[in-house]
Amino acid sequence: MTTPAIELRGISKAFGPVQANKDISIRVMPGTIHGIIGENGAGKSTLMSILYGFYKADAGEIFINGKKTEIPDSQHAIAAGIGMVFQHFKLVENFTVLENVVLGAEDGAMLRPSLAKARSQLKQLAEEYELNVDPDAVIEEIGVGMQQRVEILKALYRQADILILDEPTGVLTPAEADQLFRILGRLKEEGKTIILITHKLREIMEITDTVSVMRRGEMTATVKTQDTSPPELAELMVGRKVLLQVDKVPAKPGAMVLEVKNLNVTDSGGVHRVKDVSFTIRAGEILGIAGVAGNGQSELLEVLGGYEFGKGEVLINGQSIDLTGRHSNGQTRRERGIAHVPEDRQREGLIMDFMAWENIAFGYHHDPKYQKNRLFMDNAAIRDDTADKMQRFDVRPPNPMLQAKSFSGGNQQKIVVAREIERNPDLLLVGQPTRGVDIGAIEFIHKQIVALRDQGKAILLVSVELDEIMSLSDRIAVMFDGKIMGERLPEKTNVKELGLLMAGVAGEAA
Amino acid sequence: MDLLTLLQVLDSTVRMATPLLLACLAGLFSERAGIFDIGLEGKMLAAAFLAAAIASVTGSAWIGLVAGIGASLVLAIVHGLASITFRGNQLISGVAINFFAAGITVVVAQSWFGQGGRTPQLSDGARFQSITLPFAESLSGVPLLGPIYKELISGHSILVYMAMLIVPLTWWVLYRTRFGLRLRAVGENPAAVDTAGISVVRLRYSAVLICGVLCGIAGAQLATAEPAAGFIKDMTAGRGYIALAALIFAKWRPWYALMACLLFGFLQALELRPDLITNVIGIKVQGQLLSALPYIMTVVILAGFVGKAIPPRAGGEPYVKER
């Protein structure tokens, strides 16, 4: 039997009271692609950060190619032939590609010879692995797909034999992801060992040889990919059976709720973010907006939610709303029946240091049932209301007195969703409802959104997760570079077609 | 205004600009590494005092310089401990250093020398004297170039020439060496440096220590280089803050720092000769306006009127590995 490229034995790590990794053992065979899958907070990234020397394990041993190795810091990891591509890239934004590759791997005190050597090496690597990057491009001026290649090049330049990728496809279009997988396949052919951390079942099935499943800090199973199936993996991840497909009856669209006509948005930096966008949503209908992050979807939500100005016309139930003036704010939007689950719950949806009951009152603090008299709010009433909402939305722990930051991502999101949905809005704006949310909570939130639709409400869903858009939407619009590239019906399109639209390749006229 | 007067003003411009320049480059090293330092003022002041005190006791300007650098380094280490090791607030640490230095220098000076918070007048051997460059006298007859050489270029203390040489040196270190690459990287994205296997803490301490050395030289220049002859209370008079303004004005780049400091030095030199301004433009300009000008110009720069000044992105933030 061959020696494993990596073997971890009994790794444990705690952050304060949270046990992120519990007695984890894993073997990764050389020349394979090994997937590690698990929900958010299952401890995947922590485990890999320990392997890369970014965190120190409380207990356990690491063996590289059969040899016991201490990895107290990243330098030792690099020396042991391990390279890591983090979820959030570790690049110096105003440096060139070349400088980023060289940083930390210089040959001597002078820079020039190192840069010259790296330049020729990069050329060689580019040919070998189809990793073409302009060495003189500045990081902040190239796209995320390119930046990711720079991270891979950094690892290869340091002669890494073992490459760890943490959620590499989160920021990529489907086409870019395919390209990444081709590169990974190439690296595998060259004998490199690859560890792929992800929460996307599709990626695991598509590219890995072996897959390990983590749940709540523990390794629950390691299986050959060909011997397993997505439902089985999902069950292993969550610990119970999960519905991967959202159950919903066909939509029964009613009266027109939202009409957007020729909407334009220019941000504070003068960049034209939303370009002549028009669409409609009827009661009892979910319109999904797909697109790679940063193509104007966020600004669209912000204008409709009332905290960015726009030009054009927006009608709610046939009445136009103010887009630029004194009456363009979140408060007036709520009065017109618009509720908003913002994209970034930690920055826009909640105040992390405030308690759950305070967060539940935000935006709706004028509600008469929250007032004791003209001067004072009835905090007890808000707390009772919060406890009630937490119960119904299965927020754990159901304690209104806890700070927002002490809940997990999924439970934070449930608090926001509970606040907005319970107001019985005519139109619900939802941005990235399940970003950083575990599978169990995703299932719950999706059910709530569909239930609201079935009550005859209009829903605008913005998400970068194509699977989510495909399974929830009644109609799908794709945004690219601020424009709507086209509208499709989910049952009459596929990931490939949407992916092309997301990349700006126009299909036949919509 | 004749050539000689102009040269005199420019001559004092160079002299006034020197401590600004040294402090500005000190700040440049520190801030490029991501450690904001408003304690330049305090470090300079402490260095000025100890340099003058030791020079007056030993009679040697050089021993005074070393002592001044030592004083500045101690405060730099305090700032490093507070902001790197203990991940404290860098602004508060800097302010504390400024207050501490303003108080301690006067108290120690009074109990040591009993002259009301001053050091004794330094004799000629105990201070850095002006150096007359070779041929200054013999070339003074050459039209234009002669006087420029004699009045402007020649006749400064060794510290002035050192400061001018540190500008290209800083540029070279920053852009041509491994250390410089890492230093710039750690001020932009310490996580990138950490994951590349380099110690963020060690890099940042090196930057803070370099900052201490340069502030020390700046302080010594203020108190022990001709025409100065000793330490007086609060003698830095806000130069540390002007240096910070110059740093922003210079967009954290060494050559621009030289330009900015010469400009601000020129304004300070004009302040000494109010009669000249009245002569040239015919209006009497308040000295206060001149002293406020560096700050006004910096605000204009910060408001983005003249290109954008983008500070190092990780500046002011202690580095904590994210969870």
Side-chain angles (χ1 to χ4, degrees):
Chain A
M1 192 178 148
T2 46
T3 351
I6 298 172
E7 184 174 2
L8 302 180
R9 281 190 205 157
I11 297 283
S12 290
K13 170 79 184 169
F15 293 103
V18 184
Q19 190 76 34
N21 286 160
K22 269 179 261 179
D23 191 26
I24 290 186
S25 298
I26 182 178
R27 294 160 146 239
V28 178
M29 289 302 157
T32 63
I33 299 184
H34 192 117
I36 296 186
I37 194 164
E39 297 187 86
N40 285 290
K44 302 166 295 202
S45 297
T46 305
L47 185 66
M48 288 306 120
S49 295
I50 288 170
L51 184 53
Y52 192 64
F54 208 57
Y55 297 143
K56 246 179 115 141
D58 300 333
E61 293 174 320
I62 301 171
F63 294 84
I64 308 287
N65 297 321
K67 215 174 96 224
K68 187 169 185 300
T69 313
E70 296 289 333
I71 305 184
D73 55 36
S74 303
Q75 205 167 3
H76 283 78
I78 294 167
I82 301 173
M84 180 146 176
V85 177
F86 287 86
Q87 188 175 3
H88 302 286
F89 303 147
K90 309 288 183 196
L91 296 169
V92 183
E93 296 248 306
N94 58 357
F95 276 22
T96 63
V97 170
L98 203 57
E99 287 172 322
N100 268 292
V101 168
V102 162
L103 181 67
E106 307 90 341
D107 293 309
M110 292 303 115
L111 220 44
R112 266 172 206 237
S114 307
L115 289 174
K117 185 185 139 198
R119 190 181 291 274
S120 70
Q121 282 261 320
L122 280 192
K123 218 169 152 191
Q124 219 174 327
L125 288 171
E127 279 163 22
E128 219 170 318
Y129 301 107
E130 295 172 44
L131 280 161
N132 284 308
V133 183
D134 172 11
D136 296 310
V138 177
I139 296 298
E140 58 198 349
E141 285 162 14
I142 62 180
V144 276
M146 242 359 158
Q147 293 182 0
Q148 190 169 56
R149 286 190 198 177
V150 177
E151 285 284 21
I152 296 174
L153 282 170
K154 258 170 74 177
L156 295 177
Y157 185 72
R158 288 158 173 75
Q159 265 131 32
D161 287 320
I162 301 160
L163 195 61
I164 308 168
L165 295 110
D166 190 358
E167 300 281 1
T169 57
V171 290
L172 303 181
T173 63
E176 284 175 319
D178 285 344
Q179 200 169 8
L180 171 70
F181 288 164
R182 268 206 307 282
I183 292 168
L184 294 185
R186 193 66 180 264
L187 289 167
K188 179 177 135 183
E189 279 169 32
E190 300 284 329
K192 308 273 185 199
T193 308
I194 293 163
I195 299 181
L196 178 72
I197 305 175
T198 182
H199 67 274
K200 293 181 186 167
L201 293 165
R202 194 163 49 85
E203 292 173 2
I204 289 287
M205 298 311 294
E206 205 170 308
I207 189 168
T208 62
D209 299 304
T210 318
V211 52
S212 297
V213 185
M214 286 187 74
R215 183 171 79 227
R216 292 193 189 151
E218 287 176 275
M219 195 65 86
T220 49
T222 297
V223 287
K224 286 235 176 307
T225 309
Q226 61 197 47
D227 299 340
T228 187
S229 65
E232 189 192 359
L233 286 176
E235 196 181 332
L236 284 167
M237 277 163 74
V238 186
R240 60 181 169 84
K241 283 216 183 300
V242 191
L243 281 174
L244 287 179
Q245 199 61 37
V246 184
D247 257 349
K248 64 180 191 8
V249 294
K252 293 190 262 320
M256 191 70 81
V257 174
L258 176 73
E259 288 172 79
V260 175
K261 293 176 186 165
N262 300 329
L263 184 67
N264 280 280
V265 181
T266 305
D267 71 9
S268 54
V271 183
H272 198 175
R273 294 287 183 186
V274 177
K275 298 170 183 166
D276 259 340
V277 162
S278 303
F279 60 88
T280 59
I281 310 179
R282 290 175 176 277
E285 182 180 52
I286 300 176
L287 174 69
I289 297 207
V292 178
N295 277 294
Q297 310 99 307
S298 309
E299 288 77 10
L300 177 65
L301 276 182
E302 284 167 12
V303 168
L304 295 175
Y307 54 106
E308 171 79 86
F309 289 160
K311 275 201 205 92
E313 199 177 2
V314 175
L315 303 173
I316 288 283
N317 298 323
Q319 306 237 305
S320 105
I321 56 174
D322 190 1
L323 292 180
T324 48
R326 203 156 54 84
H327 297 295
S328 177
N329 57 50
Q331 195 60 41
T332 51
R333 294 288 202 277
R334 274 180 222 108
E335 284 160 13
R336 300 294 295 275
I338 303 178
H340 187 185
V341 177
E343 288 187 306
D344 187 340
R345 62 175 165 273
Q346 306 203 341
R347 280 183 40 216
E348 298 163 341
L350 297 165
I351 298 183
M352 300 306 280
D353 287 333
F354 280 25
M355 286 179 270
W357 68 272
E358 293 169 309
N359 274 300
I360 282 283
F362 284 139
Y364 302 102
H365 47 280
H366 295 302
D367 184 339
K369 79 169 192 252
Y370 287 168
Q371 319 299 324
K372 198 174 266 170
N373 49 45
R374 301 193 78 173
L375 214 50
F376 293 102
M377 297 186 76
D378 190 349
N379 290 353
I382 306 177
R383 270 180 228 134
D384 289 347
D385 189 39
T386 305
D388 181 43
K389 287 191 165 95
M390 289 175 116
Q391 200 80 50
R392 266 178 297 125
F393 278 78
D394 190 30
V395 178
R396 277 177 265 181
N399 178 358
M401 303 300 283
L402 284 179
Q403 287 178 322
K405 67 180 173 195
S406 50
F407 292 93
S408 73
N411 286 305
Q412 288 171 3
Q413 189 71 334
K414 284 185 195 166
I415 294 176
V416 180
V417 170
R419 178 178 71 203
E420 302 300 332
I421 285 187
E422 291 275 294
R423 290 289 152 176
N424 202 19
D426 292 334
L427 170 67
L428 180 69
L429 310 171
V430 203
Q432 320 297 350
T434 54
R435 176 184 279 170
V437 169
D438 50 85
I439 287 204
I442 289 177
E443 195 188 7
F444 183 85
I445 290 168
H446 283 176
K447 270 190 193 155
Q448 296 297 322
I449 293 174
V450 172
L452 193 71
R453 178 201 77 160
D454 292 342
Q455 288 168 33
K457 309 298 182 187
I459 291 162
L460 177 67
L461 168 74
V462 169
S463 175
V464 293
E465 300 281 348
L466 213 41
D467 295 342
E468 180 167 73
I469 293 277
M470 294 280 280
S471 64
L472 279 183
S473 311
D474 299 312
R475 283 185 295 133
I476 300 172
V478 182
M479 275 187 89
F480 170 76
D481 192 26
K483 292 188 282 275
I484 289 193
M485 298 301 292
E487 253 186 54
R488 297 286 184 273
L489 294 173
E491 59 275 13
K492 288 189 186 148
T493 186
N494 53 42
V495 173
K496 195 170 163 229
E497 187 189 19
L498 292 177
L500 283 175
L501 289 171
M502 283 162 72
V505 183
E508 78 271 31
Chain B
M1 186 165 53
D2 57 19
L3 179 66
L4 200 61
T5 331
L6 180 67
L7 285 179
Q8 278 168 0
V9 173
L10 292 180
D11 182 70
S12 49
T13 295
V14 171
R15 188 164 42 81
M16 301 302 267
T18 299
L20 290 182
L21 180 61
L22 286 164
C24 187
L25 294 172
L28 192 145
F29 273 103
S30 185
E31 299 208 349
R32 275 294 187 135
I35 304 292
F36 281 169
D37 193 356
I38 56 171
L40 297 176
E41 177 88 359
K43 286 202 271 284
M44 258 201 290
L45 192 62
F49 165 69
L50 207 64
I54 297 298
S56 90
V57 171
T58 61
S60 160
W62 287 101
I63 297 179
L65 174 66
V66 171
I69 291 175
S72 173
L73 273 177
V74 169
L75 293 182
I77 289 168
V78 171
H79 188 54
L81 279 175
S83 50
I84 305 169
T85 306
F86 296 111
R87 295 171 191 154
N89 185 307
Q90 300 170 7
L91 297 183
I92 291 175
S93 162
V95 170
I97 284 171
N98 286 344
F99 276 108
F100 173 75
I104 195 84
T105 48
V106 179
V107 171
V108 175
Q110 174 61 18
S111 71
W112 192 347
F113 301 106
Q115 296 188 3
R118 302 166 158 262
T119 58
Q121 280 277 323
L122 294 178
S123 62
D124 271 356
R127 57 181 187 158
F128 290 101
Q129 284 174 295
S130 304
I131 300 170
T132 307
L133 294 180
F135 313 118
E137 282 307 324
S138 49
L139 287 176
S140 65
V142 181
L144 195 60
L145 291 181
I148 288 181
Y149 186 65
K150 178 172 175 244
E151 295 295 329
L152 184 55
I153 298 179
S154 169
H156 295 286
S157 75
I158 180 87
L159 298 183
V160 172
Y161 298 112
M162 265 170 69
M164 296 298 157
L165 285 179
I166 291 175
V167 177
L169 185 66
T170 303
W171 175 85
W172 182 79
V173 167
L174 223 47
Y175 295 102
R176 286 289 180 268
T177 68
R178 174 176 64 189
F179 175 71
L181 182 79
R182 294 176 172 188
L183 189 85
R184 285 182 288 136
V186 83
E188 290 290 332
N189 186 357
V193 170
D194 194 9
T195 52
I198 312 164
S199 163
V200 172
V201 169
R202 206 177 308 159
L203 257 180
R204 288 194 158 169
Y205 264 108
S206 333
V208 165
L209 292 181
I210 292 173
C211 170
V213 171
L214 292 177
C215 277
I217 304 176
Q221 205 265 347
L222 272 179
T224 65
E226 240 181 358
F231 172 84
I232 50 174
K233 178 176 182 280
D234 286 334
M235 77 179 309
T236 45
R239 282 183 178 83
Y241 300 109
I242 298 183
L244 280 181
L247 186 57
I248 296 166
F249 208 78
K251 301 175 185 175
W252 292 268
R253 290 178 201 173
W255 286 108
Y256 287 14
L258 174 65
M259 300 304 161
C261 290
L262 284 174
L263 177 64
F264 291 174
F266 180 65
L267 294 174
Q268 291 190 341
L270 281 183
E271 232 181 299
L272 300 176
R273 297 288 301 268
D275 56 308
L276 278 181
I277 309 175
T278 321
N279 278 346
V280 172
I281 61 172
I283 312 164
K284 191 171 181 321
V285 176
Q286 291 290 325
Q288 285 90 334
L289 180 65
L290 287 174
S291 11
L293 261 182
Y295 300 109
I296 295 171
M297 290 159 96
T298 305
V299 169
V300 170
I301 280 274
L302 275 180
F305 290 122
V306 194
K308 223 174 179 158
I310 303 163
R313 243 160 277 189
E317 291 291 324
Y319 176 59
V320 188
K321 286 187 189 191
E322 70 228 274
R323 240 226 71 180

